[in-house]
């Protein structure tokens, strides 16, 4: 068969069309390329993720406190315990949790003729799912909410914890009402009011006897308390709810006296944070004898002793 003649002009047209098509394709892909470059550039200039917390797991709660500390916090009344009873009392009962890497807890109880003591331990590991917020900062925010809910004084110490029932509390108990106290007793306020009234009366008498100088007679009580001698304004040695500056990264202690028909009990709570772990200790003593109040100093000392041991163990 005879060959078809070669037409140079047709080849030029085809080449031109191909060139135009390639140019169009290249132009249409340019926005995507720019977007990809922008994305890669944005990733390169974004802030680094916040640091993770120190703790990635949690210990077994019931085995964390030493047996000696548990023995001191749950004293007996002289009656010996069998091995089975001792294991039940001092071994503790673990809390049921769904993720032991995020939360664990344990409870201990001992009943004696002097009353019943309960000890609770709750340990929470905080994880922040916000790349801009560290685990420690998230844990601190949770801790702050707990401190605010407990109404811990911002100055670090509040009024002393009561050592005896107030008259109003006794009346409430007779009516079967529960009374919760974590400030100075009504009794002290009543006594101060009586003292103030007496001071006012004596001041009137003293005015006439002191003459024009207007000085109160020697030995008359002052109408204003002296901060250096008033225990409610002196935080040193106070058993009032307060911030603890020597425990973990942040800590506070709360102390409440509760009276009800069934008796009286004192509840001491210590909460502290170390890195991204928050530990809560609850320790209380119940008594059916309303005249025998649980000792605030004893319960606080033992709760703080346990808190210090746990803080040291977690820091190892």
């Amino acid at each position: 068969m005879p060959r078809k003649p070669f037409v140079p002009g047709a080849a030029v047209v085809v080449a031109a069309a191909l060139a135009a098509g390639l140019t169009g394709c290249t132009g249409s892909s340019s926005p995507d390329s720019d977007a990809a470059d922008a994305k890669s550039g944005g990733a390169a200039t974004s802030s680094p993720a916040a640091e993770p917390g120190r703790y990635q797991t949690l210990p077994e709660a019931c085995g964390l406190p030493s047996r000696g500390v548990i023995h001191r916090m749950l004293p007996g009344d002289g009656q010996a315990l069998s091995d089975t009873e001792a294991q039940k009392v001092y071994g503790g009962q673990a809390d049921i949790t769904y993720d032991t890497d995020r939360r664990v807890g344990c409870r201990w109880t001992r009943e004696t003729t002097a009353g019943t003591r309960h000890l609770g331990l709750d340990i929470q590991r905080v994880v922040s799912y916000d790349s801009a917020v560290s685990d420690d900062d998230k844990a601190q925010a949770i801790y702050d909410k707990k401190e605010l809910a407990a109404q811990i004084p911002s100055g670090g110490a509040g009024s002393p914890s009561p050592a005896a029932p107030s008259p109003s509390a006794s009346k409430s108990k007779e009516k079967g009402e529960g009374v919760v106290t974590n400030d100075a007793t009504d009794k002290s306020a009543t006594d101060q009011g009586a003292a103030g009234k007496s001071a006012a009366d004596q001041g009137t008498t003293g005015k006439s006897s002191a003459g024009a100088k207007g000085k109160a007679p020697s030995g008359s009580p002052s109408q204003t308390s002296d901060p250096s001698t008033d225990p409610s304004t002196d935080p040193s040695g106070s058993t009032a709810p307060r911030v603890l500056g020597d425990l973990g990264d942040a800590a506070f202690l709360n102390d409440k006296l509760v009276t009800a028909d069934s008796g009286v009990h004192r509840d001491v709570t210590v909460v502290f944070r170390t890195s991204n772990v928050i530990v809560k200790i609850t320790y209380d003593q119940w008594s059916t004898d309303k005249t025998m109040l649980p000792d605030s100093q004893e319960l606080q000392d033992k709760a703080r002793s346990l808190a210090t041991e746990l803080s040291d163990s977690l820091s190892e």
Side-chain angles (χ1 to χ4, degrees):
M1 292 179 64
R3 292 184 178 181
K4 293 181 179 180
F6 177 74
V7 183
V12 172
V13 173
V14 171
L18 290 174
L22 292 174
T23 302
C25 293
T26 303
S28 63
S29 62
S30 178
D32 293 339
S33 301
D34 293 342
D37 292 340
K39 290 180 180 178
S40 61
T45 59
S46 62
S47 302
E51 289 291 329
R54 174 180 180 180
Y55 303 98
Q56 302 301 314
T57 59
L58 290 176
E60 195 276 314
C62 292
L64 189 59
S66 65
R67 185 58 64 94
V69 169
I70 298 299
H71 272 267
R72 288 192 294 272
M73 298 185 78
L74 304 175
D77 50 5
Q79 297 180 357
L81 296 176
S82 65
D83 292 342
T84 302
E85 291 173 334
Q87 178 59 33
K88 181 179 179 181
V89 171
Y90 302 119
Q93 179 66 43
D95 291 346
I96 298 176
T97 59
Y98 297 98
D99 187 351
T100 55
D101 281 337
R102 293 295 302 275
R103 195 162 206 152
V104 294
C106 193
R107 300 288 179 269
W108 295 263
T109 301
R110 183 161 192 185
E111 299 179 2
T112 67
T113 55
T116 302
R117 297 200 186 200
H118 303 88
L119 172 62
L121 175 60
D122 179 84
I123 308 175
Q124 176 185 4
R125 183 175 70 90
V126 179
V127 177
S128 172
Y129 295 100
D130 186 347
S131 60
V133 179
S134 68
D135 293 347
D136 285 18
D137 290 342
K138 180 69 173 180
Q140 181 63 40
I142 294 175
Y143 166 86
D144 290 340
K145 290 181 180 179
K146 293 179 181 293
E147 183 178 315
L148 181 63
Q151 298 181 344
I152 303 301
S154 58
S159 303
S161 183
S166 66
S168 60
S170 300
K171 293 179 181 179
S172 298
K173 288 187 290 182
E174 291 175 0
K175 296 179 181 179
E177 300 175 353
V179 179
V180 180
T181 311
N182 62 354
D183 293 316
T185 60
D186 294 336
K187 180 177 184 300
S188 61
T190 304
D191 292 344
Q192 291 177 3
K197 182 179 179 181
S198 176
D201 294 341
Q202 294 186 20
T204 303
T205 305
K207 183 177 180 180
S208 59
S209 62
K213 295 181 179 180
K215 295 183 179 180
S218 177
S220 62
S222 174
Q223 296 186 33
T224 58
S225 61
D226 183 358
S228 63
T229 58
D230 185 359
S232 64
T233 59
D234 183 10
S236 61
S238 173
T239 58
R242 61 197 181 277
V243 171
L244 303 176
D246 57 350
L247 181 62
D249 296 320
F252 70 85
L253 180 148
N254 202 7
D255 187 332
K256 292 183 179 181
L257 181 67
V258 182
T259 58
D261 288 341
S262 57
V264 59
H265 61 96
R266 183 177 293 280
D267 305 334
V268 172
T269 304
V270 176
V271 177
F272 71 90
R273 178 185 73 83
T274 173
S275 186
N276 62 319
V277 165
I278 299 176
V279 179
K280 180 180 180 181
I281 298 170
T282 54
Y283 184 40
D284 60 69
Q285 180 180 359
W286 292 65
S287 175
T288 56
D289 187 351
K290 299 179 183 179
T291 63
M292 300 296 293
L293 298 184
D295 183 75
S296 181
Q297 191 68 59
E298 179 209 353
L299 297 181
Q300 288 193 22
D301 288 347
K302 291 181 176 179
R304 292 189 64 180
S305 177
L306 174 58
T308 300
E309 179 183 272
L310 296 180
S311 179
D312 293 342
S313 298
L314 291 170
S315 299
E316 292 177 353

